[in-house]
Amino acid sequence: MSEETGRKEVVKSETDESTLDAAYVETHLEESPQKPEIDHSKLYVWIADSGNDRIQKFDGNGKFISQFGSSGGTRAPYNPGEFKTPSGVTVDVEGSIWVADTGCHRIQKFDGDGDFILEFGTEGWGQDKFYFPENIVAESMGTILVVDTSNHSIKRYDDGGDFLLGFGFPGNFDGFMKFPTGITLDKEGNIYVADRDNQRIQIFNEDGQFISKFGEYGFEEGRLNFPNGISVQSDGSIIVAEKSQNRLQVFDRDGHLKRVIGETGKRDGQFNCPSSLAIDPYGYLFVVDTINHRIQKFDPELNFIAKWGIIGKEGGQFKDPAGIGLSWEPDWAPSEN
């Protein structure tokens, strides 16, 4: 073979390989599934703006929509629609807004426009009394669960505020609690509680019967340092926000660590006292970053994508935001097969 013929063969081979590579890339790009564009303007994010004694409503992109509430008096009786450090907010199946009015030791219910409907609870211990309730979550059957933090218990009420069920006592045995804060539900209706001062997560069935627990105190990855917020992903993974460690940890149902997100700081994806979590039907995570006075948004793979909020009193600003609840337009959420 001549040198010239050899060069032609090399050029032909390289050309053929380039053509094949280009064809592969083109085919690969065409066959790669594209993530659907999610219109978060139809998702609504409700924030318990604790330091400003109000509830604020945003769309899922962080656009301010409305607010309601004002500061309550220094002692009971408290007026309807007033708050003292509200720490929890949730939206029920009918679109009503429920607020854990922490400093007033009561629960208040509002319609979707923020108009007062009812209230129940006074300071104390018992079925219809609370002592600094810090969180609340709506269940699919129309009931609500209240985290009665300083009474170390969880209580269920119907849509009229009538008591249905209670579980939890002060202590560290299974099913006992010590200043519980965060609460969430999975698709089966199981109840997950961030048992904060016991440095653990407890899981109960829908009847309040203890199922399992995990966690022990520590600073290392996989241990817990005052878990405050909790949410469950569609695959059953449990995301825990630690207010004193300024991170999110993801566990499986048995408490085995899967990954860690975040660290102390003010930059994107960093936290200063992350207190509450919420996951939308498409898997996007919203984090109440309390001392940074903002909300952070993460995609379903838990990559940071957006934030909003600064300290202040104007609409869209925050002072120590604490709780979060989500709602959305009818037919916005994906249908369940």
Side-chain angles (χ1 to χ4, degrees), residues 206-227:
E206 61 183 2
D207 296 320
Q209 297 172 334
F210 174 82
I211 297 176
S212 62
K213 65 182 178 183
F214 66 87
E216 57 182 329
Y217 177 71
F219 305 99
E220 304 90 345
E221 293 184 357
R223 293 174 178 261
L224 297 175
N225 187 4
F226 292 93

Side-chain angles (χ1 to χ4, degrees), residues 239-257:
I239 307 178
V240 179
E242 296 169 86
K243 62 179 294 185
S244 296
Q245 202 62 36
N246 299 315
R247 66 185 177 190
L248 310 181
Q249 295 197 80
V250 184
F251 299 89
D252 67 18
R253 176 69 179 266
D254 296 320
H256 299 124
L257 180 68

Side-chain angles (χ1 to χ4, degrees), residues 127-156:
Q127 294 183 354
D128 298 314
K129 295 185 178 183
F130 305 104
Y131 196 43
F132 295 107
E134 290 193 19
N135 218 326
I136 188 169
V137 65
E139 298 180 286
S140 60
M141 67 283 287
T143 51
I144 61 163
L145 291 168
V146 177
V147 182
D148 193 4
T149 301
S150 294
N151 278 327
H152 316 287
S153 62
I154 309 296
K155 299 173 181 177
R156 176 179 285 146

Side-chain angles (χ1 to χ4, degrees), residues 168-179:
F169 298 92
N172 58 7
F173 298 107
D174 293 349
F176 287 57
M177 304 176 194
K178 188 176 181 182
F179 297 104

Side-chain angles (χ1 to χ4, degrees), residues 98-170:
W98 297 80
V99 180
D101 188 6
T102 306
C104 293
H105 311 283
R106 66 179 175 179
I107 304 302
Q108 296 196 67
K109 180 181 180 181
F110 303 84
D111 66 18
D113 296 321
D115 294 323
F116 175 81
I117 297 177
L118 62 84
E119 64 175 309
F120 60 93
T122 57
E123 181 177 354
W125 182 87
Q127 294 183 354
D128 298 314
K129 295 185 178 183
F130 305 104
Y131 196 43
F132 295 107
E134 290 193 19
N135 218 326
I136 188 169
V137 65
E139 298 180 286
S140 60
M141 67 283 287
T143 51
I144 61 163
L145 291 168
V146 177
V147 182
D148 193 4
T149 301
S150 294
N151 278 327
H152 316 287
S153 62
I154 309 296
K155 299 173 181 177
R156 176 179 285 146
Y157 298 85
D158 67 15
D159 60 1
D162 292 325
F163 177 83
L164 298 174
L165 172 73
F167 59 94
F169 298 92

Side-chain angles (χ1 to χ4, degrees), residues 77-94:
Y78 304 107
N79 296 321
E82 295 180 343
F83 302 115
K84 287 177 66 177
T85 60
S87 299
V89 59
T90 192
V91 185
D92 68 19
V93 292
E94 300 298 327

